[in-house]
Amino acid sequence: MLGMALAAIDGTIVSTAVPQIVGDLGGFAVFSWLFSGYLLAVTVTLPVYGKLSDTFGRKPVLIAGIVLFLVGSLLCALAWNMAALIAFRIVQGLGGGALQGTVQTIAADLYPLKDRPRIQAKLSTVWATSAVAGPVVGGLLAGYADWRWIFLINLPVGALALWLVVRHLHEPARPRPKTRPRIDWAGALAVFATGTLLLTALVQGGVAWPWLSAPSLGLFAASAALAALTVVIERRAAEPIIPGWVWRRRTIASVNLALGAMGLLMVAPTVFLPTYAQSVLGLGPIAAGFVLSVMTLSWPVSAALSDRVYNRIGFRLTAIIGMSAALLVLLAFPLLPYPGEPWQPALIMLLLGAALGLFQLPLIVGVQSTVGWAERGTTTASVLFCRQVGQSVGAAVFGAVANGVLAARLLNAPAPGLPDDLDAVARTLEDPGALSAAATDQLRRAVDAAVDHVYIGAAGAAALALLALVVLAPRRFPVITEPEDRRP
């Protein structure tokens, strides 16, 4: 849990310190890479670490991930300009990829099927706590100490996690392979390069350059060519990083697609709800964060109780019920009155968290239970990889949808100079004297319409998740029960 906390809180603690970092180091034009670079490194290394943990064991991979993350944190605290800080954030992400996938795999190794909901709920609590505490801690450190402490605070936490893992995590002895394990370095490099180009195109498209510009088209074409090359390399490899059985087995393939769709729909609340709360409801940043954070309160509770459902009706049907509820909740958001009260979207998020807790945890526990120790790391990493890619695709697609709706609604605005993208809306509304009352109201209504369309799109992603489960997933997951003496 301490190891996972390093990766969990890092995603939120940096955001509130961006003004101080930019004021000290400069580089405002490229500061978004503080987040994009970290996300890229985490996502593209997940499959690699999953295969390594199946080959060499979880403990060495987790130790290497913690050490790499701490080295990256120390280098970030010593950064002398924005380019160096971005580079060191990527080093952090290389360690974060090992933390996310390996911790989830170890949880399945350590505990039998009946205990996994309780453990996974505790891990979900780590993410929920980090989502709430990260921005607060980051703001306090940036405002009253120095932004470099945001990275230095990782060192004692990581050192304690490292000591506990080294001292107390004991993996059972596994039979030595008859031949020396071969690492698919070519496949690892191909996966890394393909993921980097694809995610760069998705993250920067429509932001750093237009979608139909030469950089975007070139990156998408190059990533498609590299993806084809990756398939060829992996088919010929003796021990591929992403083996073909990940997609040939119906259970794993359906869970990968369903959680990829969940990553897609998660963009609506996490990215666009704070903008809605500030621009439409007129809340401050902290209050807007709390409207979103109520989702993290119901999610772990629902996840912890999900075993009472799937033990009776199965993993697949439980997940279908959870995503069906999420679909209805997402469709309810556009029905909220304008401008409405803060408790209304907060209630929507509370219900959404409960629905998604009932959806995600049964699928992760279920798919981990269908494979043995030697395949669990690869399976878990493939699921998390698909979810991360879904989030990147969602950010790109829904960002284009929201900005398109906003521009269309403001085409015949009564006041000149209104912003035509969501990033500039909050800055415009912060200066109440800059716009007339009519122009301000039209801008707020345009944001309301843009976010409504995003939530409709998220409902479409929920429908895709349901389709993957209904069409592909078997009615009963083929669960494998490992002997107790094989557990750490």
Side-chain angles (χ1 to χ4, degrees), residues 2-3 9 17 28 52 84 108 115 163 174 222 226 351 375 470:
L2 280 173
I9 201 169
F28 178 79
L52 291 177
D115 293 332
W163 178 77
R174 302 283 171 180
L226 278 175
L351 297 174
E375 296 176 341
V470 171

Side-chain angles (χ1 to χ4, degrees), residues 45-190:
T45 54
L46 277 169
V48 178
Y49 286 126
K51 182 62 179 179
L52 291 177
S53 73
D54 282 343
T55 304
F56 299 104
R58 326 295 188 212
K59 186 172 181 176
V61 174
L62 182 58
I63 290 173
I66 293 175
V67 170
L68 194 56
F69 189 91
L70 295 182
V71 169
S73 298
L74 180 60
L75 291 174
C76 286
L78 300 175
W80 54 91
N81 58 33
M82 185 61 75
L85 182 58
I86 291 171
F88 298 148
R89 282 281 288 169
I90 292 174
V91 174
Q92 258 192 322
L94 296 176
L99 293 174
Q100 286 196 28
T102 311
V103 169
Q104 293 276 10
T105 306
I106 289 174
D109 289 342
L110 287 174
Y111 297 95
L113 180 59
K114 62 183 177 63
D115 293 332
R116 286 179 196 165
R118 174 172 56 88
I119 300 306
Q120 290 285 358
K122 290 184 177 180
L123 294 178
S124 297
T125 304
V126 172
W127 288 96
T129 305
S130 301
V132 177
V136 177
V137 174
L140 290 175
L141 290 175
Y144 296 99
D146 187 273
W147 64 264
R148 297 179 189 272
W149 280 100
I150 287 174
F151 302 104
L152 291 174
I153 200 174
N154 291 331
L155 301 183
V157 178
L160 178 58
L162 189 62
W163 178 77
L164 289 171
V165 169
V166 170
R167 183 177 176 86
H168 295 291
L169 177 59
H170 304 291
E171 295 189 279
R174 302 283 171 180
R176 287 183 175 273
K178 296 180 180 179
T179 59
R180 184 179 178 182
R182 286 184 290 179
I183 303 175
D184 179 21
W185 293 115
L189 182 61

Side-chain angles (χ1 to χ4, degrees), residues 114-376:
K114 62 183 177 63
D115 293 332
R116 286 179 196 165
R118 174 172 56 88
I119 300 306
Q120 290 285 358
K122 290 184 177 180
L123 294 178
S124 297
T125 304
V126 172
W127 288 96
T129 305
S130 301
V132 177
V136 177
V137 174
L140 290 175
L141 290 175
Y144 296 99
D146 187 273
W147 64 264
R148 297 179 189 272
W149 280 100
I150 287 174
F151 302 104
L152 291 174
I153 200 174
N154 291 331
L155 301 183
V157 178
L160 178 58
L162 189 62
W163 178 77
L164 289 171
V165 169
V166 170
R167 183 177 176 86
H168 295 291
L169 177 59
H170 304 291
E171 295 189 279
R174 302 283 171 180
R176 287 183 175 273
K178 296 180 180 179
T179 59
R180 184 179 178 182
R182 286 184 290 179
I183 303 175
D184 179 21
W185 293 115
L189 182 61
V191 169
F192 190 90
T194 303
T196 299
L197 289 181
L198 176 61
L199 292 177
T200 300
L202 292 172
V203 170
Q204 295 299 305
V207 179
W209 47 71
W211 282 111
L212 297 180
S213 64
S216 274
L217 297 178
L219 284 172
F220 280 120
S223 61
L226 278 175
L229 178 61
T230 302
V231 172
V232 173
I233 293 173
E234 294 298 83
R235 283 185 172 179
R236 296 180 178 179
E239 295 289 339
I241 292 294
I242 303 181
W245 54 260
V246 168
W247 293 104
R248 286 195 296 269
R249 298 181 189 175
R250 287 178 58 194
T251 305
I252 302 174
S254 61
V255 171
N256 282 345
L257 294 174
L259 286 181
M262 192 200 80
L264 195 72
L265 74 85
M266 281 299 297
V267 172
T270 56
V271 175
F272 293 94
L273 185 65
T275 300
Y276 171 88
Q278 293 181 66
S279 301
V280 178
L281 302 181
L283 302 179
I286 295 178
F290 278 113
V291 171
L292 172 62
S293 67
V294 295
M295 181 174 66
T296 64
L297 301 178
S298 57
W299 191 315
V301 174
S302 172
L305 298 175
S306 65
D307 64 318
R308 302 185 182 184
V309 183
Y310 68 66
N311 282 332
R312 294 186 177 184
I313 64 175
F315 296 111
R316 173 178 175 267
L317 189 53
T318 303
I320 288 175
I321 292 173
M323 187 50 75
S324 299
L327 173 60
L328 296 176
V329 171
L330 291 167
L331 289 175
F333 187 92
L335 302 178
L336 294 179
Y338 171 85
E341 299 293 333
W343 67 266
Q344 295 167 335
L347 177 61
I348 292 285
M349 291 304 101
L350 191 71
L351 297 174
L352 184 62
L356 293 178
L358 198 62
F359 167 79
Q360 178 180 259
L361 189 134
L363 290 184
I364 292 179
V365 171
V367 78
Q368 287 178 330
S369 303
T370 64
V371 295
W373 186 94
E375 296 176 341
R376 190 171 292 137

